[in-house]
Amino acid sequence: MREEKIKLAKLQNIKIYPIYKMFAWDLLFYYPIIFLFMSQIKGLSASQVFLGDACYLIFKLIFQPFVPIIVNLVGKRKGNIIGNIFVSITILYIIVSPASLINYIIAQMIMAIGYVFKGTCEATILDECIENQEKKNSTFAKIDGKGSAYWYTFEAISAVTTGFLFVINGYIPMCLCFVFCIIGTLISFKFEHYEVKIKRKKEAHIIKTLISKIDLAKQEYLFIFKSRRLRALLMFSGLFYGILYIRSTITSSILVDIEIPEKYFGIISGVFTIFAAISTWKQHSFHKRLHNKVLTFFSLTYSISMILIGLAVIININRVLNLIIIFSMMIIQNIIKGPYYTLIKRYLNSFSNEYISVKIYAINGLVEDLSGALLSLSLSALLNHTTTAYAVVFIGIISLILFINILDYMKTRIGLKPEEYREQDIKFVPKTKKLEESNKVEIEISTDKEGETVINIK
């Protein structure tokens, strides 16, 4: 594939990306009713649902180290397709499998594999297709934010009907979720090839390439762990992802506890999602106004909102006042959730390059999944001894304390001017060995049947 053809392929991928994300970023028709579906249709307890959710993240931790290796072999486009196929299989398995905790855990394993592939490939596909290096971060945030806003808008519309459809038949929303997973998978096939494959014919060169790649991977991981800036971001990202991960199930459990009729679950979720969509469209405004204080504002506000929700349910002085406090705090949580996912990717992409972007996302995924698994397991254990409200207050207080300490650690490591960073914190330059004259090789460039450039080294 010639340079011009590669450029056209990248432009096509940028054009498709927001539409793809609208259908495939996350599950539609799923989150407003999955707690009800698993508890009422499949007969699981609240504690078992949280246990299954924790298993999802544990499986992600298990598969996360191996997926980048597969992605490097098959390419990001095919890796993304594989991920979407696994997610589609998950929903089908939840629908048709007999009711049991074991089957729910198996479904979570399949879903974990799918989202590890998607998480490794999606953002890097977009990031690598943006060629304007000077405005790369802002362009990435704009396109990714547009896709997120599309998804939130679509989710709001679908969520309004989800609760009513669940009352008619609990399987209807899950079937619709499966249909949209298939649509997202089909769109993922539309991404164009642009990656270069390298084929080496001599065994000596294959061994050298393998050794070189292992050495490069070691350099990349060492850079990430030695970079104080990235360490601070990964710590924050892990904890914040953890509390966002349990948000949906906590919301459903709280709504059950305060005796909200099931048919209104979808409408409530839809209203919340509208606020998330609006704030996602305005993600650049958050970044522009708050600058390096945006993560501080998001984390402290979210933790306090969790505490207030739990206290409102526990104290229960006046039902109307309680509902106002609970719904207001949930709206605030969704306003924060909307732009957060795009902004954290923007910050992770800063100062990265084609060498380490996949590794950064892979390690970030590991940290997020570990944090989410620990929080889910903790919540599951707490619910065996207390109510959701008390558990939410406890987790809110702990997360507030942890965020205060992490933010203090971040003060001298994030939000600085480029010249204020240490070079080893922001710049990765791979150390390469020069080939001796005797190791010179002949290179033949061709195109395979899939239209990808193949470099044959003889």
Side-chain angles (χ1 to χ4, degrees):
M1 188 182 291
R2 295 176 181 177
E3 187 175 337
E4 185 62 28
K5 204 169 182 181
I6 292 174
K7 187 175 181 180
L8 290 174
K10 289 183 175 182
L11 289 173
Q12 173 70 5
N13 291 347
I14 291 172
K15 184 179 178 181
I16 291 172
Y17 190 86
I19 305 300
Y20 163 78
K21 192 165 185 180
M22 179 174 70
F23 288 96
W25 181 36
D26 212 342
L27 300 171
L28 295 163
F29 293 95
Y30 182 84
Y31 294 105
I33 54 88
I34 187 58
F35 180 81
L36 294 174
F37 184 83
M38 297 311 302
S39 59
Q40 295 186 11
I41 305 298
K42 299 294 185 177
L44 301 185
S45 66
S47 178
Q48 288 176 319
V49 174
F50 278 108
L51 179 60
D53 292 344
C55 287
Y56 163 76
L57 294 175
I58 292 169
F59 285 125
K60 283 187 75 180
L61 283 168
I62 293 170
F63 294 113
Q64 188 71 253
F66 305 103
V67 167
I69 298 172
I70 299 172
V71 170
N72 284 335
L73 291 173
V74 303
K76 299 178 188 68
R77 175 183 174 273
K78 290 181 180 177
N80 190 42
I81 291 170
I82 291 169
N84 281 284
I85 291 172
F86 270 93
V87 172
S88 301
I89 292 171
T90 301
I91 302 304
L92 182 62
Y93 187 84
I94 291 175
I95 293 170
V96 302
S97 63
S100 72
L101 176 60
I102 295 299
N103 280 326
Y104 187 51
I105 291 174
I106 292 172
Q108 296 301 319
M109 181 186 69
I110 301 170
M111 185 180 287
I113 296 171
Y115 273 107
V116 171
F117 272 100
K118 282 164 62 66
T120 302
C121 299
E122 286 176 340
T124 52
I125 287 174
L126 175 61
D127 186 54
E128 290 179 3
C129 288
I130 300 171
E131 297 189 336
N132 186 342
Q133 296 298 318
E134 291 183 1
K135 297 182 178 180
K136 191 168 189 175
N137 288 336
S138 58
T139 303
F140 175 91
K142 182 179 179 181
I143 298 168
D144 187 74
K146 183 189 292 186
S148 299
Y150 285 165
W151 184 88
Y152 282 125
T153 303
F154 204 171
E155 164 67 1
I157 296 169
S158 64
V160 171
T161 61
T162 301
F164 292 103
L165 293 172
F166 181 84
V167 171
I168 296 170
N169 188 308
Y171 284 91
I172 295 176
M174 296 300 294
C175 290
L176 288 172
C177 179
F178 176 67
V179 169
F180 281 97
C181 283
I182 296 298
I183 293 173
T185 302
L186 293 175
I187 296 175
S188 70
F189 279 90
K190 295 292 184 180
F191 284 116
E192 296 284 347
H193 300 278
Y194 65 88
E195 297 168 283
V196 176
K197 294 179 179 179
I198 299 178
K199 293 184 178 180
R200 299 176 181 263
K201 292 191 175 181
K202 286 189 177 181
E203 185 179 350
H205 292 306
I206 294 173
I207 294 172
K208 279 186 177 182
T209 301
L210 182 60
I211 293 172
S212 176
K213 285 189 175 182
I214 292 172
D215 181 62
L216 180 60
K218 285 168 61 179
Q219 292 181 48
E220 291 166 345
Y221 283 122
L222 281 173
F223 165 77
I224 293 168
F225 287 118
K226 285 183 178 179
S227 170
R228 298 185 302 176
R229 177 187 171 277
L230 281 172
R231 276 206 310 267
L233 268 178
L234 291 170
M235 289 167 60
F236 182 93
S237 174
L239 180 56
F240 206 94
Y241 175 84
I243 61 173
L244 286 179
Y245 178 74
I246 60 176
R247 180 198 61 83
S248 178
T249 311
I250 283 177
T251 299
S252 297
S253 187
I254 289 289
L255 293 180
V256 170
D257 289 350
I258 61 177
E259 299 179 346
I260 299 296
E262 299 157 5
K263 62 183 179 181
Y264 296 126
F265 273 43
I267 295 175
I268 293 169
S269 177
V271 173
F272 291 162
T273 307
I274 289 172
F275 282 97
I278 294 170
S279 65
T280 302
W281 279 110
K282 299 292 183 180
Q283 51 86 18
H284 183 67
S285 299
F286 281 95
H287 174 75
K288 189 175 180 181
R289 291 183 180 182
L290 297 173
H291 297 291
N292 58 348
K293 301 294 183 184
V294 65
L295 297 181
T296 301
F297 174 77
F298 281 0
S299 57
L300 299 185
T301 303
Y302 199 102
S303 298
I304 292 170
S305 72
M306 291 180 70
I307 297 170
L308 292 177
I309 288 172
L311 290 176
V313 177
I314 293 167
I315 297 172
N316 194 23
I317 298 175
N318 179 279
R319 179 167 176 78
V320 175
L321 180 61
N322 283 355
L323 292 177
I324 291 172
I325 294 172
I326 292 168
F327 288 145
S328 297
M329 292 302 104
M330 288 179 176
I331 287 171
I332 289 172
Q333 289 179 351
N334 279 269
I335 290 173
I336 291 170
K337 180 192 74 169
Y340 169 76
Y341 285 117
T342 294
L343 290 175
I344 195 64
K345 289 176 187 173
R346 174 176 182 160
Y347 301 148
L348 287 170
N349 285 339
S350 297
F351 310 114
S352 69
N353 56 35
E354 68 274 13
Y355 293 109
I356 60 166
S357 59
V358 171
K359 301 296 189 304
I360 289 174
Y361 279 107
I363 292 177
N364 184 59
L366 282 170
V367 174
E368 288 180 342
D369 296 342
L370 179 60
S371 174
L374 290 173
L375 276 171
S376 295
L377 288 171
S378 300
L379 193 55
S380 177
L382 285 170
L383 289 176
N384 285 325
H385 304 285
T386 187
T387 63
T388 304
Y390 281 102
V392 169
V393 171
F394 178 78
I395 290 177
I397 293 172
I398 296 299
S399 65
L400 181 61
I401 294 170
L402 290 174
F403 274 129
I404 290 172
N405 283 278
I406 292 173
L407 291 167
D408 183 63
Y409 177 81
M410 291 168 63
K411 277 183 182 179
T412 57
R413 295 166 174 84
I414 293 178
L416 310 178
K417 295 178 181 179
E419 62 270 17
E420 294 176 326
Y421 287 105
R422 301 183 307 168
E423 186 175 355
Q424 59 265 43
D425 286 335
I426 62 173
K427 189 176 181 181
F428 173 70
V429 179
K431 298 176 183 178
T432 57
K433 296 180 180 179
K434 293 182 179 180
L435 290 174
E436 298 178 1
E437 289 297 318
S438 58
N439 288 333
K440 285 184 178 179
V441 296
E442 295 180 9
I443 298 176
E444 179 184 292
I445 301 176
S446 60
T447 304
D448 65 9
K449 61 181 181 181
E450 294 178 338
E452 293 189 15
T453 298
V454 177
I455 300 178
N456 295 290
I457 299 181
K458 301 179 180 179

